[in-house]
């Protein structure tokens, strides 16, 4: 059973990674490229159409730090983005498949597409919406609290949100209410940043970055929603296939 689930997670993860890359290419990547033009604290030349600006010409003078490395724009950047999305897809698919299989064995769900959509939506709430309430997705040039604090808070928030949603949907009676504090508690300890929202001191650049930031939050939300709904459906269909072919039941019986 374990081998079948892992192989299935790899296949689903590849599909999810490619889909997420496509979502980002349409939604978030153009916004990131536009925002990167304003990362420099020097005054920038403003363009009416950010998307028409040739970011490739700016790449040579664009510095993230003396020792920082970033993939070059174009094929290299697309390649590393796709690889990271595939690995993330494999990890999340593995978690979903194991969770779905545990619920299936206990008779709580049937591996069907609509059940997959529900679990995918819950994953979206736990992994994207809950952290975004306290720390919305950021564009290049945004000022933020220390990275280590934000990462630790993100992990704790996702764990609390996942546990809280699980209690709300799986517990019975008054015990469901125990999930509410888990959903709310992390929002009281959000890492804060003092000072300007954006590092660029140019007021016109700040206005442009603010608009891009709002667009980025919505684009990120839609991309992640598509990712999680697709993940839920694919995992449900794969689990149904494994169950129908006896790969899960036979393994459980032999165990």
């Amino acid at each position: 059973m374990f081998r079948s689930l892992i192989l299935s997670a790899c296949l689903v993860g590849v599909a999810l990674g490619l889909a997420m890359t496509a979502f980002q290419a349409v939604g978030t990547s153009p916004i990131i490229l536009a925002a990167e033009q304003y990362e420099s604290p020097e005054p920038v030349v403003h363009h009416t159409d950010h998307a028409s600006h040739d970011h490739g010409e700016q790449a040579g003078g664009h510095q993230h730090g003396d020792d920082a490395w970033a993939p070059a724009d174009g094929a290299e950047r697309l390649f590393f983005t796709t690889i990271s999305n595939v690995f993330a897809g494999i990890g999340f698919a593995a978690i979903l498949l194991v969770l779905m299989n545990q619920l299936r064995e206990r008779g709580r769900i049937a591996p069907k597409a609509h059940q997959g959509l529900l679990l995918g939506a819950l994953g979206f709430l736990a992994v994207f919406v809950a952290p975004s309430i306290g720390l919305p997705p950021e564009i290049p040039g945004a000022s933020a609290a220390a990275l280590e604090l934000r990462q630790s808070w993100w992990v704790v928030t996702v764990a609390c949100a996942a546990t809280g949603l699980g209690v709300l949907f799986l517990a019975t009676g008054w015990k469901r209410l125990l999930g509410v504090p888990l959903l709310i508690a992390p929002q009281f300890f959000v890492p804060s940043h003092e000072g300007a929202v954006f590092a660029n001191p140019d007021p016109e650049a700040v206005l442009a970055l603010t608009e891009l930031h709002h667009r980025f939050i919505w684009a990120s939300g839609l991309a992640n929603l598509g990712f999680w709904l697709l993940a839920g459906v694919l995992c449900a269909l794969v689990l149904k296939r494994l169950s129908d072919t006896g790969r899960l039941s036979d393994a459980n019986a032999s165990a």
Side-chain angles (χ1 to χ4, degrees):
M1 178 181 67
F2 179 78
R3 180 174 178 272
S4 297
L5 291 177
I6 293 301
L7 290 177
S8 299
C10 291
L11 293 176
V12 172
V14 171
L16 291 175
L18 294 176
M20 188 60 169
T21 301
F23 296 154
Q24 291 172 338
V26 174
T28 59
S29 293
I31 300 175
I32 292 174
L33 293 176
E36 285 179 347
Q37 300 174 32
Y38 298 96
E39 278 192 285
S40 171
E42 298 297 329
V44 297
V45 178
H46 301 286
H47 297 262
T48 304
D49 182 8
H50 298 298
S52 65
H53 185 67
D54 186 3
H55 182 76
E57 295 179 358
Q58 297 293 327
H62 182 70
Q63 297 293 332
H64 293 275
D66 295 337
D67 299 324
W69 177 87
D73 292 337
E76 183 176 329
R77 188 169 189 164
L78 179 62
F79 172 77
F80 282 102
T81 297
T82 304
I83 292 298
S84 63
N85 286 337
V86 167
F87 278 113
I90 292 174
F92 286 127
I95 294 173
L96 273 179
L97 282 171
V98 171
L99 176 60
M100 286 183 179
N101 188 52
Q102 291 296 316
L103 293 174
R104 179 192 68 86
E105 290 180 347
R106 288 163 174 75
R108 303 302 297 268
I109 67 168
K112 296 181 180 180
H114 69 279
Q115 296 280 14
L117 279 175
L118 175 59
L119 287 177
L122 294 177
F124 170 70
L125 292 175
V127 177
F128 181 82
V129 174
S132 295
I133 293 174
L135 293 176
E138 298 168 355
I139 59 174
S143 302
L147 178 62
E148 294 79 7
L149 291 177
R150 288 181 286 139
Q151 289 177 331
S152 299
W153 182 85
W154 186 91
V155 171
V156 171
T157 302
V158 171
C160 288
T163 304
L165 289 171
V167 172
L168 284 173
F169 280 87
L170 297 178
T172 57
W174 65 267
K175 294 180 180 179
R176 291 184 174 181
L177 298 177
L178 298 177
V180 176
L182 291 171
L183 294 173
I184 299 176
Q187 305 304 329
F188 291 99
F189 306 97
V190 180
S192 60
H193 169 76
E194 298 181 359
V197 177
F198 299 104
N200 196 314
D202 186 349
E204 293 187 19
V206 171
L207 288 176
L209 286 169
T210 301
E211 179 185 354
L212 290 170
H213 190 204
H214 293 158
R215 288 170 51 195
F216 186 71
I217 292 173
W218 282 102
S220 297
L222 291 174
N224 277 273
L225 177 61
F227 173 90
W228 279 102
L229 293 181
L230 180 61
V233 171
L234 290 180
C235 287
L237 295 178
V238 166
L239 197 64
K240 184 177 186 305
R241 174 66 176 174
L242 293 176
S243 179
D244 291 343
T245 56
R247 299 182 185 180
L248 297 180
S249 59
D250 290 347
N252 293 335
S254 62

